[in-house]
Amino acid sequence: CKQRAAELKDEKLYSQGHERPESDFCPICLLAIPFRMNMHSEFRACCMKKVCNGCGLAGEKRGLSRICPLCRSPPPKNEAEGLDMVMKRVAAKDPEAICHLGTIYNSGGYGLEKDQSHAIKLLYEAAELGSTEALTKIGVSYYRGSRGVPHDKAKGIH
């Protein structure tokens, strides 16, 4: 019974949407960010959004070189301030912030101790709130058998 409940939960998580999610679009110009999104956009920890390189360049030309072109926040001065920004968004139940915090725990960044079991819990929470990036990271974790989850290629692909 518990196993079937877990399977149903996984089916619900892994069957969400086939269209590009809102997070795949630049929040400034509203254009889809080309795939290999990490090469064509920059993640902004202040607002937890990916801003396309074009909008970032336009912001630099307008004199916003050190300021976020979306929310106009200055970049964090140190890791503690950066973690503070992330934690404020996590407290607001922002799925991308929760996913980002999971990634931080997975690598042990921002001065936090590396904790893969907490990282995967955060990724599941973010996925339940609608983060497609978290779903991808969970799938890759199962496919590779990383982040403390068992190696399961079928579950990773599904």
Side-chain angles (χ1 to χ4, degrees):
C1 190
K2 286 184 182 181
Q3 182 180 358
R4 182 63 185 144
E7 288 171 0
L8 288 173
K9 182 179 176 184
D10 287 345
E11 284 177 23
K12 182 182 174 193
L13 279 176
Y14 290 115
S15 65
Q16 293 178 1
H18 295 283
E19 296 176 12
R20 290 190 71 179
E22 184 181 330
S23 61
D24 282 5
F25 293 84
C26 176
I28 298 172
C29 67
L30 305 176
L31 295 174
I33 300 170
F35 284 114
R36 302 278 331 252
M37 289 176 36
N38 60 337
M39 293 177 65
H40 299 283
S41 65
E42 185 176 348
F43 180 77
R44 303 293 179 143
C46 47
C47 52
M48 294 291 144
K49 301 288 184 193
K50 292 179 192 128
V51 176
C52 74
N53 290 344
C55 289
L57 180 62
E60 284 182 28
K61 285 184 175 183
R62 290 189 189 111
L64 299 174
S65 62
R66 301 283 301 150
I67 296 173
C68 176
L70 179 63
C71 69
R72 305 294 199 253
S73 294
K77 293 179 179 83
N78 52 42
E79 284 186 339
E81 195 175 301
L83 185 59
D84 242 9
M85 287 178 162
V86 174
M87 295 309 284
K88 283 180 186 173
R89 300 298 314 148
V90 168
K93 293 291 187 194
D94 180 341
E96 298 309 321
I98 295 168
C99 177
H100 187 62
L101 185 61
T103 304
I104 293 168
Y105 269 107
N106 185 58
S107 62
Y110 287 85
L112 295 175
E113 202 170 306
K114 187 175 181 174
D115 185 349
Q116 291 185 326
S117 64
H118 189 56
I120 200 74
K121 286 177 190 172
L122 288 168
L123 290 176
Y124 266 104
E125 182 182 346
E128 288 173 356
L129 291 171
S131 172
T132 54
E133 186 172 344
L135 280 173
T136 302
K137 290 180 180 198
I138 292 167
V140 169
S141 297
Y142 277 106
Y143 188 83
R144 294 181 179 163
S146 60
R147 287 190 177 98
V149 298
H151 179 74
D152 186 345
K153 281 190 176 184
K155 195 171 187 178
I157 292 171
H158 180 61

